[in-house]
Amino acid sequence: MTSISDRNRANKRKGASWETELLAGLRSVGEDAERLRLTGAEDEGDLVIRETGGTYLVIEAKNAALTPGPFLDEAEVERLNFARHRDLDPFDVDSIVIVKRRGKNWRKAFVLTTVEDYFDLRGVE
C-alpha cells in the first residue's frame, strides 16, 4: 500500500515532468519561455513567455483532473504576484492554464482562460 506522502511525491514528479515537456515544446516552436521558481505563498506560476512589446504570459501548468474554476483562480493570483514582484503594470501580464490531456502530447493540451481575458476586456464594463 502506498502512503499519502508517496502519492504526493509521485504527483509532484508528474507535474514537474509535464512542466519540462511543455517548456521544451514551447521553446521548440520559438517561444521565449522560461520556468519560474516557486516563491511560497506568493507563487508566480510555472512558466512565463516574454512577448513582444514588453508583455508577459504567465502559464500555470496542470497535470491533474480538470477543475477549471480553481485552476483559473490560481492563475489569476499568480499573474498578479508575477506583476507585483517585478513592479510591472498588471495589464502587461496575462495568464492561462495549460492542462495536460492523458495520452496526448503538449500540443494537444487544453488551454483555459476567461472570456474577459481572451477578448481583453479587463477594466471594460
Side-chain angles (χ1 to χ4, degrees):
M1 177 183 247
T2 58
S3 70
I4 291 174
S5 63
D6 288 341
R7 283 193 301 262
N8 286 343
R9 278 193 293 273
N11 287 338
K12 285 184 181 189
R13 279 193 304 273
K14 283 178 19 181
S17 176
W18 167 232
E19 289 174 26
T20 301
E21 176 187 349
L22 184 56
L23 177 62
L26 291 169
R27 285 179 173 173
S28 77
V29 296
E31 294 294 343
D32 184 8
E34 73 177 67
R35 197 172 210 163
L36 293 170
R37 300 289 168 232
L38 291 175
T39 55
E42 293 194 354
D43 196 9
E44 301 178 335
D46 298 314
L47 306 174
V48 65
I49 295 177
R50 283 177 292 280
E51 299 176 317
T52 57
T55 59
Y56 299 86
L57 178 63
V58 172
I59 298 170
E60 180 63 22
K62 293 292 188 183
N63 186 359
L66 185 62
T67 55
F71 288 174
L72 288 167
D73 290 345
E74 181 180 355
E76 175 64 7
V77 168
E78 292 176 350
R79 175 186 78 83
L80 295 172
N81 287 341
F82 180 89
R84 187 176 61 255
H85 293 162
R86 289 161 181 78
D87 200 27
L88 298 170
D89 184 333
F91 287 99
D92 291 336
V93 180
D94 290 316
S95 63
I96 59 173
V97 179
I98 301 181
V99 184
K100 179 160 180 44
R101 291 176 63 192
R102 181 180 288 178
K104 305 286 185 183
N105 73 18
W106 69 275
R107 288 176 173 251
K108 299 293 184 180
F110 295 117
V111 175
L112 302 176
T113 189
T114 63
V115 169
E116 178 179 62
D117 287 344
Y118 188 81
F119 290 102
D120 200 20
L121 300 174
R122 253 187 251 129
V124 175
E125 296 299 316

